[in-house]
Amino acid sequence: MLHLIRTLAKMPGERKQDGLTIIEIMIALAIAAIALTGAYGLMLAAGKHYRSSVAMTDMYAYSRLAMERLFRDISETSNETVTVKTTNIRSEDGLRDDAISFASARDASGQFQLATYGAFNFMRPVWQKAIIYYLLDDGSGNGKTLYRKVAAKYDWEINYDPTQAMDMEGEIIAWNVDYMYFGPPYPEVDPEITRKDHVLEVSLGLLKSQEDMKVGPARTIELNTSVPMMNRRSEEHTSELQ
């Protein structure tokens, strides 16, 4: 490159020189600076893309873990113990934030407690506690935080109200949550979960702001699943079997 620059920079009749002139060195430095600037720009763009990809991968992994935790907990409860409270509705896009509570038969050691009942020794869970999932806005502007909390409750004649447990002292399950929804499989027919529903639809949306992504627009992830619940018979049905 230097030889080419030197050749082009020579004037006709110029005496042959063995070294480089200041002009040749300045031109070479300018070309090198342009090349380095271009390479730096490419590296910077690649770094932004990499950070964006890592952020999306982490958010997807966290959202999947949160959904798996929800699925495991809810699938072990009875439809008669589930209470859903809507805490926020965004009318512009139809999304809503819900809090949910339900019974769990797992004791402090993690063992699932069962007991027999009726003339035929049917098995049914012995409820040990209430599990609550809820969203809170921590004021960071980066979406809401999904919490999980356990509350002591043994008498399930009246279900647990999940709004009683909503504070920042619960276990953090996921960050950057945009919304959370619980409902029946066909909400257009019946928008509220009832004791007749044995499948619970769970929807979880997560949002990364453009500032968090460092490049490109804001990105969202939406996960949906159907969670089957046990059909625990009520006391009147139990008496009929006996």
Side-chain angles (χ1 to χ4, degrees):
M1 179 184 291
L2 290 174
H3 178 74
L4 178 62
I5 294 172
R6 184 176 179 181
T7 301
L8 294 175
K10 283 183 178 180
M11 298 296 294
E14 182 182 357
R15 188 175 59 184
K16 182 178 180 181
Q17 297 179 357
D18 295 331
L20 297 175
T21 66
I22 295 178
I23 294 177
E24 292 170 347
I25 294 174
M26 292 180 63
I27 294 174
L29 290 175
I31 294 176
I34 293 173
L36 289 174
T37 301
Y40 177 75
L42 290 175
M43 291 179 61
L44 189 63
K48 288 183 177 180
H49 180 74
Y50 173 76
R51 289 192 294 271
S52 173
S53 300
V54 170
M56 285 300 295
T57 300
D58 289 344
M59 186 168 69
Y60 185 75
Y62 294 148
S63 61
R64 288 297 303 268
L65 289 174
M67 289 295 283
E68 290 174 2
R69 190 81 175 270
L70 279 163
F71 189 96
R72 184 185 65 186
D73 284 341
I74 296 174
S75 63
E76 292 182 346
T77 195
S78 163
N79 60 331
E80 292 190 356
T81 72
V82 174
T83 298
V84 177
K85 294 281 189 178
T86 299
T87 59
N88 181 47
I89 299 177
R90 303 201 313 232
S91 57
E92 65 274 11
D93 49 22
L95 299 178
R96 81 188 208 191
D97 295 333
D98 289 341
I100 187 173
S101 66
F102 48 88
S104 172
R106 293 195 178 274
D107 59 18
S109 65
Q111 298 297 317
F112 197 87
Q113 298 299 317
L114 294 169
T116 59
Y117 75 101
F120 299 100
N121 291 327
F122 291 109
M123 302 292 291
R124 74 176 182 186
V126 180
W127 305 128
Q128 304 291 309
K129 57 194 175 186
I131 295 179
I132 308 100
Y133 283 89
Y134 56 94
L135 292 178
L136 284 180
D137 190 345
D138 59 9
S140 65
N142 295 324
K144 305 177 183 68
T145 302
L146 173 60
Y147 291 89
R148 178 185 185 270
K149 183 179 281 190
V150 174
K153 183 172 175 60
Y154 305 97
D155 181 9
W156 284 90
E157 292 183 3
I158 299 177
N159 287 355
Y160 189 91
D161 182 355
T163 59
Q164 296 178 353
M166 294 178 63
D167 57 38
M168 294 185 180
E169 297 180 0
E171 176 189 2
I172 296 178
I173 302 300
W175 295 271
N176 305 115
V177 180
D178 188 32
Y179 70 91
M180 182 170 62
Y181 163 79
F182 300 98
Y186 306 102
E188 64 276 6
V189 177
D190 186 358
E192 298 298 331
I193 187 73
T194 68
R195 291 173 180 256
K196 299 180 296 182
D197 296 308
H198 305 304
V199 175
L200 186 68
E201 289 292 316
V202 180
S203 298
L204 192 64
L206 287 91
L207 173 67
K208 275 286 187 181
S209 67
Q210 185 171 348
E211 181 180 355
D212 290 336
M213 297 298 295
K214 306 298 183 183
V215 62
R219 299 292 300 274
T220 60
I221 289 177
E222 295 182 358
L223 296 178
N224 302 278
T225 188
S226 298
V227 186
M229 297 175 290
M230 292 183 292
N231 179 16
R232 179 187 179 186
R233 294 181 177 273
S234 59
E235 294 301 325
E236 56 267 22
H237 291 152
T238 301
S239 62
E240 289 175 5
L241 290 174
Q242 292 176 344

